[in-house]
Amino acid sequence: MDERVTRVGRFLHNKGPAEMLYGALVSSVVLAATSAGAKSGELVALATAMVSVTYWLAHVYADAIGGRFEDVDHSAHHRLRHALKNNTGVLLGSLPVLVVFIIGRLFGLDVTDAAFLALWFTVAMLAGVAAFAAHRAGVRGAPLLGETALAAGFGLLVIALKLILSH
């Protein structure tokens, strides 16, 4: 079996998808906050990217140092290397939101409209991932719709934040 397929499988069966959703939510909140009243799309993109990287590093640090309580056999250096290698989901999850914002800007949208494009994309992504995960787990009918709506609700909260900060 191809090593890449094996790595993707491990990623999907571990915390990967959850971390990616976390990264998407963090970057969308930062994007919503920084784009409120911002004149420069570059500043919004840079701030969102920097906060996403900082958040990822904080996640890595917390995993590496917090894990020492359970893993006393490995050094902090070993735990840090392990955490850097195994906590990429948060960073990867922040990228789609940022990429959609940048694409919106490249297509001529102003900062506010590009931010809303990225935020609505986030709603769709959260709902889509939740629907896929629930369906894969055998959930059907009203419970599937409920899980999907709950996930979309998180994205809608970020849009509400953007609306509040923009006025």
Side-chain angles (χ1 to χ4, degrees):
M1 182 179 286
D2 185 5
E3 174 62 25
R4 288 177 293 181
V5 172
T6 305
R7 280 188 287 164
V8 169
R10 280 194 311 261
F11 179 78
L12 290 174
H13 284 91
N14 291 322
K15 299 181 297 183
E19 288 180 359
M20 287 185 72
L21 292 172
Y22 218 59
L25 279 167
V26 166
S27 65
S28 67
V29 168
V30 173
L31 188 116
T34 58
S35 66
K39 303 281 187 255
S40 166
E42 293 81 12
L43 180 62
V44 173
L46 180 63
T48 302
M50 288 180 67
V51 170
S52 295
V53 167
T54 302
Y55 181 79
W56 167 66
L57 288 172
H59 188 73
V60 165
Y61 172 78
D63 184 34
I65 302 307
R68 289 284 279 159
F69 288 100
E70 297 168 1
D71 182 8
V72 296
D73 296 331
H74 293 98
S75 68
H77 182 263
H78 176 271
R79 297 248 351 114
L80 186 59
R81 267 194 350 263
H82 182 266
L84 281 166
K85 181 180 175 185
N86 293 302
N87 286 292
T88 56
V90 170
L91 189 59
L92 292 174
S94 68
L95 291 177
V97 177
L98 190 56
V99 167
V100 169
F101 173 77
I102 291 168
I103 289 171
R105 292 290 292 147
L106 290 173
F107 276 97
L109 295 178
D110 65 17
V111 171
T112 299
D113 289 341
F116 275 117
L117 175 67
L119 296 178
W120 281 109
F121 169 81
T122 303
V123 172
M125 182 178 69
L126 294 173
V129 170
F132 176 68
H135 188 272
R136 192 167 175 231
V139 178
R140 301 291 187 271
L144 176 64
L145 290 175
E147 288 189 34
T148 303
L150 179 64
F154 280 108
L156 293 173
L157 283 175
V158 178
I159 289 176
L161 171 68
K162 169 81 173 131
L163 291 169
I164 290 167
L165 292 175
S166 294
H167 288 87

